[in-house]
């Protein structure tokens, strides 16, 4: 696994994902099979050109057999944007990325009795997720019953996240 932020790969945020993707895909020494990206921003905070360039890099990664995983964010359904609308995190919203959301574990003794969506609001932190305003519903989600966006117009688009695991700082 290749993780963004490894020694020698400390880049500014705007270039991080593109640089790591390009370097990791063509790293003939370590030959990574997975790229893990734990940073992102709401789609509205990216330029169209920036998202297209990164999306192409992620598509290239799939052609090399590299799985790109990206966090779906920890700002809840607003993704930290204060306009009253729902937003999803990019790069998790790319169809070439495995979007990774967060859960909260409930336990009894040493056993997990329940796993639910991580929603630590208003105290802080909640998994990101929802429907992309940029990317269409990919064919692999056709039978997933992704609901339309809760935003005006009810757009049908890429559902995020694809998978989830324990992310609540209180249980993880």
């Amino acid at each position: 696994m290749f993780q963004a932020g490894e020694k020698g790969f400390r880049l500014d945020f705007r270039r991080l994902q593109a640089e790591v993707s390009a370097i990791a895909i063509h790293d003939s020494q370590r030959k990574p099979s997975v790229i893990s990206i734990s940073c992102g921003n709401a789609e509205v905070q990216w330029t169209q050109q920036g998202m297209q360039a990164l999306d192409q890099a992620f598509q290239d990664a799939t052609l090399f057999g590299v799985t790109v995983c990206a966090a779906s964010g920890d700002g809840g359904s607003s993704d930290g944007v204060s306009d009253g609308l729902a937003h999803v995190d990019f790069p998790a919203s790319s169809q070439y990325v495995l979007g990774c959301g967060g859960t909260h574990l409930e336990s009894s003794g040493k056993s997990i009795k329940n796993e639910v969506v991580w929603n630590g609001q208003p105290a802080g932190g909640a998994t990101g997720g929802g429907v992309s305003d940029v990317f269409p519903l990919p064919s692999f989600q056709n039978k997933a019953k992704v609901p339309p966006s809760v935003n005006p117009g009810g757009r049908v688009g890429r559902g995020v996240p694809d998978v989830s695991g324990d992310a609540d700082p209180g249980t993880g």
Side-chain angles (χ1 to χ4, degrees):
M1 179 185 289
F2 179 89
Q3 281 209 242
E6 282 188 8
K7 187 176 179 182
F9 293 96
R10 299 212 183 269
L11 308 167
D12 80 35
F13 178 77
R14 296 279 178 210
R15 292 179 36 202
L16 177 65
Q17 294 152 4
E19 294 292 331
V20 169
S21 295
I23 293 166
I25 292 167
H26 300 291
D27 185 339
S28 60
Q29 182 181 0
R30 291 178 281 201
K31 299 179 183 146
S33 60
V34 176
I35 299 172
S36 175
I37 302 171
S38 60
C39 56
N41 265 340
E43 290 175 328
V44 298
Q45 295 173 327
W46 290 88
T47 65
Q48 183 179 3
Q49 180 183 17
M51 278 197 289
Q52 287 174 343
L54 289 169
D55 200 48
Q56 183 62 55
F58 301 140
Q59 184 178 12
D60 292 347
T62 66
L63 297 174
F64 282 88
V66 177
T67 300
V68 179
C69 302
S72 65
D74 56 8
S77 61
S78 72
D79 203 13
V81 179
S82 59
D83 62 4
L85 298 174
H87 296 276
V88 296
D89 220 47
F90 179 81
S93 61
S94 166
Q95 70 175 332
Y96 303 107
V97 171
L98 180 67
C100 303
T103 62
H104 165 83
L105 300 177
E106 296 173 354
S107 63
S108 176
K110 293 185 178 185
S111 299
I112 296 170
K113 69 175 191 173
N114 200 16
E115 185 173 17
V116 296
V117 67
W118 170 42
N119 187 4
Q121 302 291 3
T127 191
V131 176
S132 173
D133 284 329
V134 175
F135 298 100
L137 184 74
S139 61
F140 64 83
Q141 288 188 332
N142 281 342
K143 294 184 181 180
K145 299 180 182 175
V146 175
S149 173
V150 297
N151 291 338
R155 183 180 192 284
V156 175
R158 162 98 163 98
V160 180
D162 298 298
V163 297
S164 294
D166 186 21
D168 184 340
T171 63

